[in-house]
Amino acid sequence: MKRVLPLSLSNFNPEKAILEAASELIATIDLEQRLLYLNPSARHLLSLPQDYDLEQQDLRVKDLHAPDVYRELNEDIFPTLLAGQGRWEGELEFLDFHGQSRPMQMTIILHTDADGEPLWITGIGRDLRRRKHLEAQQRLAKRVFDNAIEGIIVTDGRACIQHVNPAFTEITGYSAEEALGQTPKMLRSNHHDQAFYDTMWQSIADTDRWQGEVWNRRKNGSVYLQWLSINCVRDAQGYIENYISIFHDLTEMRAKEAEIQHLAHHDPLTGLGNRHLLNERLQHAVRQAKVQEEKLALLVLDLGHIQLINDSLGHTWCDRLIRGQSARIKEVVAEADTLVRIGSDEFALLIEDYEAVHDVSQIADDLIRVLQEEVQLGRHQVTLSPSVGVAFFPQDAQNSVELLINAQTALLDAKKSGRDTFRFFNREMSQQARERLKLEQALRSAVKGEGLSLHYQPKVLLEDGRLYGAEALLRWTHPELGPLSPAVFIPLAEEAGLIVDIGDWVLRHTCQQLVAWQEAGYTLPRIAVNLSVHQLEETEFAQKLEELLEAYQLDREVLELEITETGLMKNQNQALQSLRQLKEKGFRIALDDFGTGYSSLSYLSKLPLSTLKIDRSFVIDMARDTISLNIVKTIIQLAHNLSLDLVAEGVEDAQQADQLLRLGCTLAQGFHYYRPLPESEFTQLLAASSR
Ligand code: C2E
Ligand code: MG
Ligand code: MG
């Protein structure tokens, strides 16, 4: 059968069809560099309209390149072609009609006639944009990989190591060559059992990821704690192609936490525990004693007349004396009992599960005897008059606070009866307790009316001593006893359930005062108000405070709320919730007495804080011992890292101020600048600094 061609094929031009279908740029120019032909892909890549008429427009090579590229074409590529090479290959950058860069992989060919005379030049180019983009992404990924401070391990689907980054080497000590081809088992320490790894792999199988703390071993054998996160990458079929492990070393962070904890619980002078440690141990011991029906004895002892020695011989000798006496006490005390230094010349000894009262009095007696022995201080001989007070749990107290108060009451009794003796707390003597009750009643009426006032202690800029703000400190003048320290009546108010009302009074009074200052035309300082954790335990607290400020039409920024670290540690749930709400509403929150609690750094970073206040004890000891100095440095660093404001409390002299300023602390509060001032005096200061 004769085949009939379709009509259209009669004028079929295969070359043209190929040119039009090609995805490459194809362009032909004459020897004057005039564009003779551009295929559709070329028009598309160069953003040229498909109906652009080359004959009419006189488009030249020069129009398609940046000047430097054109120069290269003209001075290098075309001459080489014409000199007989006939072909050039390489990367060449075009500019499209909008001036956008179009990198191309080009092949340029010279056409000649039968005699070898050049006729035209044709260029064929592949768009390189996608490849360039991928290359740029790869470069970026490599940069991240190489510069990450986290160690990174990439393995294949069978956990065989394919890549590690420089941080891996830095942390583990293994070079890339040593690690490649091995499995991450090379880092295992024997800190975890097989069950641990099984759970980890199960989680990866179930969820494609795992995160947690792992103890690993470095090349030098040392074991370190790391935070590890493992993710897996699957291919299109769902098979695991790679595992990516990212880890950072937690050792240093933990060491800092441990250092802060140790410092916060120890007395640098004697190496013994401090008041914070005692509180902790007491609470724990009381809890345990209740459950196991054990008995506790708490002895509080006073070295006697240390102040006289300090005044006459100076504090260096005094420190030496205290250290010496503490060594004597240690000799009398059993290893298992808790011995701490709770004041400059006060020590406490907690004895858990003693046999008989007689044993306790024996210890008290021994303590007095060794402390009465003569001490040689250089050329001087001194003899002290120690006193000891003892209280028992559960006979004398129902909780740890009461136990400590009663032991101290007994100590007071021993001192009153002429020192060099010890006294047991006894019920008849609990005249004290009755006094406390009376105090509590007086406080109840104070909340309603007279007796309370606020003092304001200025906070200043360390740089020039200028006024920055102030802390409102509560004062209570008892009708008979006169002025009492908040350190005494605030705990009482907390125990008696009065603190919320008192706290409300403080907040309201502060607002009234701020409005009065505003009306007098003074620049408002930021006023810090101390909050008890009991106030934060109220679910409505944040809202209540918001309403209060609205009622007085005050900006939230003018208040700062101080909360002590130890207070917060006791109650974490509702108190934290309130703090978060306060922060959300725009209130500023300061962590007071920082360093005395035992919040971990990770816990701290979760708190919604604006400010840290370094506890006074560190500022005092900073000049005398390097540990306190280091802790101050660490806290300053910490505040910088967490972008928190930082106030040093209790700055008492110029030396401390200079040192703090040099260390990078900017704000301070303390007797060196101002004592807490009565309202009228602070108002005068405000008037002067507003002028
Ligand atoms: P805080 O909040 O740490 O306040 C600082 C305390 O250190 C104040 O004692 C202040 O007078 C004292 N201070 C300031 N600078 C120096 C210094 O350079 N050297 C010395 N030695 N002391 C300095 P204050 O006024 O006796 O207050 C004791 C604590 O009572 C406060 O400690 C705070 O926790 C609590 N407090 C005071 N007012 C209130 C209040 O309105 N509500 C609550 N919940 N607690 C309050
Ligand atoms: Mg405070
Ligand atoms: Mg404080």
Side-chain angles (χ1 to χ4, degrees):
M1 199 175 77
K2 192 176 170 220
R3 290 173 66 195
V4 181
L5 283 174
L7 194 64
S8 56
L9 270 191
S10 61
N11 47 18
F12 173 60
N13 176 348
E15 284 89 5
K16 186 158 185 269
I18 292 168
L19 289 175
E20 310 235 307
S23 63
E24 281 80 11
L25 163 149
I26 302 175
T28 303
I29 57 168
D30 66 13
L31 297 179
E32 268 78 55
Q33 302 188 356
R34 200 175 297 121
L35 266 291
L36 300 178
Y37 173 74
L38 282 174
N39 73 340
S41 285
R43 288 169 186 262
H44 176 70
L45 283 163
L46 297 172
S47 307
L48 225 63
Q50 290 297 335
D51 57 2
Y52 186 88
D53 188 344
L54 286 173
E55 270 175 39
Q56 275 190 7
Q57 300 292 342
D58 190 28
L59 188 64
R60 302 281 177 146
V61 171
K62 185 159 73 65
D63 303 324
L64 297 177
H65 299 280
D68 53 334
V69 178
Y70 179 64
R71 199 174 317 117
E72 189 192 346
L73 262 168
N74 237 359
E75 294 177 2
D76 198 5
I77 301 175
F78 288 153
T80 324
L81 274 173
L82 291 167
Q85 287 293 337
R87 183 185 184 90
W88 179 89
E89 285 191 27
E91 276 185 26
L92 198 66
E93 190 188 18
F94 283 71
L95 291 183
D96 76 359
F97 248 47
H98 306 306
Q100 297 292 326
S101 160
R102 294 283 177 261
M104 300 275 179
Q105 176 65 37
M106 291 298 292
T107 304
I108 306 180
I109 304 161
L110 178 70
H111 301 268
T112 52
D113 64 11
D115 301 330
E117 283 302 310
L119 294 173
W120 313 289
I121 296 170
T122 293
I124 303 169
R126 210 156 22 87
D127 188 0
L128 288 180
R129 268 176 301 170
R130 212 177 128 68
R131 203 178 87 195
K132 294 268 173 204
H133 180 66
L134 284 176
E135 281 173 4
Q137 272 192 331
Q138 273 172 0
R139 271 198 305 277
L140 192 68
K142 179 156 166 42
R143 252 247 151 74
V144 173
F145 187 77
D146 286 347
N147 290 296
I149 50 169
E150 275 90 8
I152 304 177
I153 306 176
V154 180
T155 74
D156 62 14
R158 280 174 305 167
C160 176
I161 299 178
Q162 294 183 316
H163 306 281
V164 294
N165 69 343
F168 165 91
T169 303
E170 207 164 290
I171 298 171
T172 65
Y174 288 106
S175 69
E177 292 74 33
E178 288 168 313
L180 298 188
Q182 302 240 42
T183 75
K185 276 190 190 162
M186 69 189 285
L187 302 171
R188 275 197 187 179
S189 68
N190 47 15
H191 269 60
H192 305 287
D193 54 13
Q194 192 51 42
F196 174 83
Y197 293 106
D198 291 346
T199 321
M200 171 166 137
W201 284 108
Q202 192 55 49
S203 154
I204 297 174
D206 293 345
T207 63
D208 279 6
R209 62 200 298 254
W210 182 87
Q211 282 196 5
E213 291 184 356
V214 176
W215 288 95
N216 269 351
R217 189 182 298 281
R218 294 184 228 269
K219 187 179 175 187
N220 67 11
S222 63
V223 170
Y224 66 101
L225 184 63
Q226 66 177 19
W227 180 260
L228 173 64
S229 138
I230 304 178
N231 281 279
C232 61
V233 181
R234 291 179 187 269
D235 65 13
Q237 280 72 43
Y239 292 113
I240 293 179
E241 272 183 335
N242 301 103
Y243 293 102
I244 301 174
S245 307
I246 302 181
F247 58 92
H248 61 259
D249 193 344
L250 290 173
T251 327
E252 197 182 329
M253 192 165 149
R254 288 293 151 86
K256 280 208 173 126
E257 279 179 18
E259 187 181 290
I260 292 184
Q261 275 218 26
H262 179 83
L263 290 166
H265 288 82
H266 287 83
D267 161 39
L269 181 63
T270 59
L272 294 174
N274 61 13
R275 190 178 270 278
H276 302 297
L277 186 76
L278 177 68
N279 286 339
E280 218 171 84
R281 294 270 173 94
L282 261 181
Q283 282 171 13
H284 180 259
V286 165
R287 237 179 289 129
Q288 188 167 321
K290 277 183 184 162
V291 177
Q292 302 184 350
E293 297 190 1
E294 283 173 3
K295 297 174 291 179
L296 307 173
L298 181 66
L299 286 71
V300 180
L301 59 102
D302 179 292
L303 297 181
H305 302 314
I306 278 286
Q307 194 54 42
L308 289 177
I309 290 162
N310 198 13
D311 294 345
S312 54
L313 301 181
H315 72 256
T316 313
W317 282 115
C318 189
D319 282 355
R320 226 179 262 192
L321 174 65
I322 291 169
R323 248 199 314 260
Q325 295 298 78
S326 90
R328 288 180 174 179
I329 301 174
K330 273 186 223 166
E331 278 176 21
V332 174
V333 169
E335 202 58 53
D337 298 335
T338 301
L339 174 65
V340 300
R341 178 170 173 230
I342 57 175
S344 65
D345 55 355
E346 257 185 42
F347 293 77
L349 173 66
L350 173 65
I351 304 175
E352 295 182 51
D353 208 20
Y354 61 90
E355 291 275 312
V357 173
H358 170 74
D359 297 335
V360 177
S361 40
Q362 185 64 53
I363 293 173
D365 223 18
D366 289 347
L367 284 170
I368 289 175
R369 192 175 35 77
V370 295
L371 294 174
Q372 280 171 330
E373 282 167 21
E374 216 171 59
V375 185
Q376 189 75 32
L377 291 178
R379 288 179 290 110
H380 308 275
Q381 277 172 349
V382 282
T383 315
L384 299 177
S385 306
S387 320
V388 176
V390 189
F392 296 100
F393 178 88
Q395 300 90 309
D396 297 335
Q398 290 179 357
N399 55 41
S400 59
V401 176
E402 216 179 325
L403 186 60
L404 182 58
I405 292 176
N406 291 349
Q408 273 170 325
T409 310
L411 173 67
L412 214 64
D413 195 37
K415 283 194 204 170
K416 272 196 236 141
S417 62
R419 299 180 180 265
D420 291 307
T421 184
F422 71 89
R423 283 284 184 273
F424 287 157
F425 175 83
N426 68 58
R427 281 285 156 204
E428 284 120 69
M429 184 183 75
S430 67
Q431 170 66 12
Q432 298 278 353
R434 255 172 278 135
E435 267 173 27
R436 229 180 75 128
L437 201 64
K438 262 170 65 191
L439 208 61
E440 205 179 291
Q441 276 158 357
L443 196 55
R444 262 177 222 285
S445 31
V447 180
K448 295 189 212 116
E450 303 284 86
L452 295 183
S453 65
L454 287 181
H455 278 199
Y456 298 88
Q457 185 178 32
K459 293 182 186 173
V460 300
L461 290 157
L462 269 164
E463 194 187 314
D464 52 13
R466 242 180 326 131
L467 183 68
Y468 166 82
E471 175 171 18
L473 293 161
L474 187 58
R475 297 292 177 257
W476 178 33
T477 309
H478 186 278
E480 287 149 37
L481 302 173
L484 290 176
S485 158
V488 172
F489 69 82
I490 294 283
L492 188 70
E494 285 182 336
E495 273 184 63
L498 292 169
I499 193 67
V500 171
D501 289 345
I502 291 183
D504 283 349
W505 184 91
V506 171
L507 285 164
R508 209 164 349 99
H509 197 85
T510 307
C511 287
Q512 282 165 1
Q513 192 55 55
L514 280 163
V515 170
W517 287 330
Q518 202 168 38
E519 281 170 3
Y522 304 141
T523 320
L524 283 193
R526 174 170 287 151
I527 299 292
V529 174
N530 292 284
L531 292 185
S532 156
V533 75
H534 296 284
Q535 290 173 272
L536 294 174
E537 273 165 20
E538 287 191 278
T539 46
E540 306 292 352
F541 182 75
Q543 190 176 348
K544 197 164 92 178
L545 191 57
E546 184 177 41
E547 283 165 12
L548 185 70
L549 287 205
E550 259 159 30
Y552 285 98
Q553 295 186 349
L554 286 166
D555 194 332
R556 281 148 217 208
E557 282 268 304
V558 329
L559 267 199
E560 183 152 75
L561 306 167
E562 291 192 7
I563 174 90
T564 61
E565 192 190 8
T566 34
L568 203 54
M569 294 301 299
K570 278 190 216 137
N571 174 321
Q572 304 204 350
N573 296 331
Q574 181 52 45
L576 256 181
Q577 181 74 12
S578 295
L579 282 186
R580 294 214 178 93
Q581 288 167 354
L582 287 166
K583 183 74 191 250
E584 266 164 33
K585 291 182 192 295
F587 289 100
R588 297 177 55 87
I589 295 157
L591 196 58
D592 206 352
D593 303 347
F594 179 65
T596 59
Y598 39 89
S599 42
S600 70
L601 296 186
S602 43
Y603 174 66
L604 186 68
S605 62
K606 286 192 201 112
L607 292 178
L609 299 178
S610 336
T611 307
L612 283 185
K613 296 187 76 182
I614 309 181
D615 186 58
R616 186 154 62 86
S617 58
F618 299 124
V619 175
I620 295 172
D621 291 334
M622 185 176 68
R624 275 192 276 146
D625 73 273
T626 49
I627 308 179
S628 288
L629 180 62
N630 279 338
I631 202 161
V632 170
K633 283 184 187 164
T634 310
I635 294 175
I636 292 175
Q637 188 64 41
L638 196 68
H640 284 309
N641 289 350
L642 298 175
S643 304
L644 300 176
D645 285 349
L646 183 70
V647 183
E649 299 182 339
V651 175
E652 295 192 348
D653 59 48
Q655 193 198 347
Q656 290 165 348
D658 286 345
Q659 197 168 14
L660 285 162
L661 184 62
R662 261 185 281 119
L663 293 175
C665 179
T666 48
L667 297 169
Q669 176 181 356
F671 294 172
H672 175 55
Y673 298 100
Y674 300 99
R675 290 188 175 251
L677 305 173
E679 213 157 83
S680 58
E681 276 181 52
F682 184 70
T683 304
Q684 281 171 18
L685 182 69
L686 207 55
S689 67
S690 295
R691 233 173 264 140

